[in-house]
Amino acid sequence: MPRVSEQHLAARRQQILDAARRCFLRNGFHQTSMQDVITEAGLSVGAVYRYFTSKNEIVAAIAGQTVDGVGQAFGAIAAHEPPYPLVEAMDRVLAVVDSQLGPDGMFRLAVQVWSEAMRDPAVATLVAERYPRLRDLFTELARQARDRGELAADADVAAVGHVLFGMIPGYALQRLLTGTPDHQTFLAGIRALLPPGPGDAPSPADLGDV
């Protein structure tokens, strides 16, 4: 028999994950059975079990892909040269979130991943390993902002990074659950919380009566 190429194996594995993703988005993790995934993938039982021995393994693989996909998008923003001003960087981060809030979006799966991490040790371990890497990207944005003088010279960039990172699931959850706030409203809130950058003129409201 001819040997099956690694490329073919990877493609078949991805076929199964894509089918599972559609099922999970449509029905959720717990309402999706292995038979649902097998049917959606259009493969035999044996073909699917060759790659994944349980639904939990598929969930963990989907969780990994979801976190990595978001991380790549955020990482490109943090690595941009020249670095973006902090508000512009957060504007671009929010745009990534907006692009992934639709029916097929990563954040709809991310919410399920967060819930699954509370009960599945494998998913919890995966999240605990990978989410700090996402958070580090926001620490890097804070470091860049401090070095440009947008933040105080003694600002704790790790602490600022934690807060900036925390804004993202908060924004995504609000948008998914209530449809608000819109991008510009949330960005205006971020801008109001950050100190004025070098050369920023104070607004009349900041000056008060003179």
Side-chain angles (χ1 to χ4, degrees):
M1 281 181 69
R3 184 179 178 183
V4 178
S5 70
E6 291 296 324
Q7 184 178 6
H8 173 84
L9 293 173
R12 183 55 57 86
R13 183 177 187 275
Q14 190 59 49
Q15 179 182 349
I16 297 167
L17 290 176
D18 289 343
R21 176 190 175 94
R22 292 192 296 272
C23 289
F24 294 154
L25 285 168
R26 188 165 60 237
N27 299 318
F29 287 160
H30 296 293
Q31 296 301 314
T32 297
S33 67
M34 278 295 281
Q35 186 56 53
D36 292 331
V37 174
I38 292 164
T39 300
E40 184 77 19
L43 298 172
S44 69
V45 172
V48 172
Y49 277 97
R50 176 181 182 182
Y51 296 89
F52 300 99
T53 61
S54 69
K55 188 177 74 172
N56 283 356
E57 283 190 13
I58 295 177
V59 170
I62 292 280
Q65 288 191 345
T66 301
V67 174
D68 289 347
V70 173
Q72 288 173 10
F74 291 169
I77 295 168
H80 187 269
E81 289 294 340
Y84 294 118
L86 185 53
V87 170
E88 182 178 351
M90 292 302 291
D91 187 10
R92 292 174 179 271
V93 167
L94 296 182
V96 171
V97 176
D98 290 339
S99 73
Q100 297 297 327
L101 291 176
D104 298 327
M106 286 188 291
F107 276 94
R108 290 184 178 272
L109 277 176
V111 173
Q112 296 189 59
V113 169
W114 301 336
S115 175
E116 199 67 13
M118 298 295 99
R119 58 168 298 278
D120 186 329
V123 177
T125 297
L126 183 148
V127 169
E129 289 174 350
R130 300 195 188 191
Y131 267 58
R133 300 178 204 168
L134 289 180
R135 192 169 56 200
D136 288 345
L137 298 175
F138 290 83
T139 298
E140 174 61 16
L141 292 178
R143 184 195 64 76
Q144 294 168 1
R146 182 198 61 191
D147 292 349
R148 285 192 302 271
E150 293 181 67
L151 299 176
D154 61 351
D156 183 337
V157 294
V160 175
H162 290 181
V163 172
L164 294 175
F165 177 62
M167 292 178 177
I168 304 312
Y171 175 65
L173 278 173
Q174 289 185 79
R175 289 293 306 277
L176 287 171
L177 296 176
T178 71
T180 60
D182 62 36
H183 181 123
Q184 292 306 319
T185 299
F186 198 85
L187 186 66
I190 292 174
R191 183 179 287 109
L193 291 171
L194 294 174
D200 287 349
S203 68
D206 295 327
L207 292 172
D209 295 331
V210 293

